[in-house]
Amino acid sequence: MATRRTDQDFIRDLTRLLCSEGVSSLTIGEIAQRMRCSRRRLYEIAPTKEALFVGICRDVLAANLERGFAAARGERDAARAVSAYLHAALNMSGLSKAALADLDAIDSGRAVFDAYQLARVRGLESLLEAGMRQGLMAPHNPRLVSEAILGAAHRLRSQQFLKDTGMKMGDAFSEFYEIILNGLLCRPEPDDPTQATCRSCPPQ
């Protein structure tokens, strides 16, 4: 006789399904069939499939945010902490392109993603301030930097932007973070000020 999955196992499987396929192409009946459960069990979690999906995404993004904070806490150097914080969750959010598109198409979903991005940049402000105090980062206004990142986040997640550039969301954020952390200008090597080199510059 089959045993009923624990609530934890059930939510894990439901999260995997919705974060992989999104929700627009599924009915509540199809979700129940794929999950091998009754519709009632799904309605016990949320009143609609959209609310179910948004709730799952909220939990995934919250875990993603904590992963970033945990990575930062693991670094003693403030500059490294900023880099670790920004890169920790790239390509690890667990949300597919379809899921991200569905999240952006739902008003409450956009609000969840906006709140997630806001929480990320507010956390970033404190890390930037620490880096500036340690003399490891240029003394710019932390709110200015965080707001610039927040504004870019709204644009970089646009499906039209990703289509136009042929980039994946994680790659777009990764490259943007590289620009924020290292800038656009090539810098000279300490032992030869006439030679400008950087990770993005072609070899001379």
Side-chain angles (χ1 to χ4, degrees):
M1 180 177 179
T3 59
R4 179 185 171 94
R5 281 171 290 182
T6 65
D7 289 341
Q8 183 177 4
D9 288 341
F10 182 80
I11 293 298
R12 180 199 62 210
D13 294 342
L14 181 61
T15 297
R16 185 179 296 117
L17 171 64
L18 296 183
C19 289
S20 173
E21 299 188 23
V23 74
S24 61
S25 63
L26 297 171
T27 65
I28 200 73
E30 289 170 336
I31 296 172
Q33 183 179 28
R34 297 279 294 276
M35 289 296 299
R36 303 188 307 280
C37 72
S38 66
R39 298 186 185 194
R40 179 179 178 180
R41 190 169 190 187
L42 296 174
Y43 284 129
E44 287 174 350
I45 301 173
T48 66
K49 70 171 187 175
E50 290 79 12
L52 181 69
F53 173 67
V54 170
I56 289 292
C57 290
R58 181 185 295 110
D59 291 343
V60 169
L61 292 175
N64 206 43
L65 184 63
E66 177 51 36
R67 188 159 45 238
F69 286 130
R73 288 193 295 267
E75 298 287 350
R76 301 180 65 179
D77 180 303
R80 290 180 180 274
V82 169
S83 180
Y85 176 78
L86 289 175
H87 288 92
L90 286 179
N91 298 317
M92 294 177 61
S93 70
L95 299 177
S96 68
K97 182 178 180 180
L100 286 167
D102 285 351
L103 190 65
D104 199 52
I106 302 170
D107 288 343
S108 58
R110 285 196 300 275
V112 163
F113 198 90
D114 288 346
Y116 163 70
Q117 292 292 0
L118 182 60
R120 277 177 65 84
V121 296
R122 292 297 178 256
L124 175 60
E125 285 180 24
S126 63
L127 296 175
L128 292 171
E129 289 169 352
M132 293 172 196
R133 285 195 302 269
Q134 294 178 16
L136 299 173
M137 308 190 79
H140 296 296
N141 188 303
R143 176 57 61 86
L144 174 65
V145 177
S146 64
E147 288 296 337
I149 293 175
L150 179 61
H154 286 287
R155 186 71 184 99
L156 295 182
R157 82 187 201 220
S158 163
Q159 295 302 310
Q160 187 61 51
F161 166 80
L162 297 173
K163 179 180 179 181
D164 290 344
T165 59
M167 301 182 77
K168 295 180 180 179
M169 184 179 293
D171 294 335
F173 274 97
S174 183
E175 186 166 333
F176 175 66
Y177 292 156
E178 182 70 21
I179 293 170
I180 289 293
L181 291 171
N182 296 304
L184 291 170
L185 299 178
C186 296
R187 293 175 174 80
E189 292 287 354
D191 59 345
D192 187 354
T194 66
Q195 295 297 314
T197 59
C198 70
R199 196 178 313 178
S200 302
C201 292
Q204 300 295 321

